Amino acid sequence: MDQDEYVPEVGGDGLFNRLEEAFCAFEDLQDGFLAGLKERPLEMFNEMHWWEDERGKGCMLIKDLLSVFNNGLKCGIYPLDTAESWRTRIGRLIEKESMLYQALSLERVRIVGELERLSKGRDALKGYQRFGLGGR
């Protein structure tokens, strides 16, 4: 998603088309990250900065487009019933964000558990090193 993309003026189908494109791109980004997190979690953690940058750009584009749309609603350019579909789309984005948070939290718990096991193993090896094998 490119934040520098043109944000259309209020009016016409251009705004609705851009909103649809922005929502679809953001949903694809969310779906891709969630699928990647399930299939290859360590790679996804390495890509977290890229994902956060793209997510931030997508959020800003959607926010800017919705701001233009909101101004159109206030001016009476768009009927109020058109707002409901975008409100529903925002709800789906938020729901998916919650799923991503939950998936990241579960992965964090798994990683912390692995680190604790590694730490115990390391400590045991240090004990063998310090006292020698067989308790000499």
Side-chain angles (χ1 to χ4, degrees), residues 1 6 22-23 35 45 60 62 66 69 71 77 79 81-82 84-85 90 95 103 113-114 118 124 127-128 131:
M1 284 184 245
Y6 172 71
F23 272 97
F45 278 108
M60 288 301 298
I62 289 171
L66 287 174
F69 175 69
N71 289 338
I77 295 171
D81 62 339
T82 57
E84 189 57 37
S85 66
I90 292 169
E95 185 178 313
E114 289 294 323
L118 286 171
Y128 290 136
F131 301 114

Side-chain angles (χ1 to χ4, degrees), residues 33 37 40-51:
F33 190 81
L37 191 59
R40 47 187 208 292
L42 293 179
E43 286 179 42
M44 296 312 291
F45 278 108
N46 289 335
E47 297 174 9
M48 191 68 107
H49 292 298
W50 174 88
W51 183 74

Side-chain angles (χ1 to χ4, degrees), residues 1-4 21-34 37 44 47-64 90 92-102 104:
M1 284 184 245
D2 189 1
Q3 185 179 356
D4 298 327
E21 290 171 8
F23 272 97
C24 286
F26 197 81
E27 290 164 346
D28 289 347
L29 183 67
Q30 288 177 316
D31 291 342
F33 190 81
L34 190 58
L37 191 59
M44 296 312 291
E47 297 174 9
M48 191 68 107
H49 292 298
W50 174 88
W51 183 74
E52 273 299 315
D53 288 346
E54 290 300 303
R55 190 175 159 277
K57 290 175 190 176
C59 284
M60 288 301 298
L61 180 59
I62 289 171
K63 179 182 127 330
D64 290 346
I90 292 169
R92 285 194 303 221
L93 290 181
I94 293 168
E95 185 178 313
K96 187 84 54 111
E97 289 291 306
S98 296
M99 290 171 57
L100 287 167
Y101 178 81
Q102 184 179 18
L104 286 169

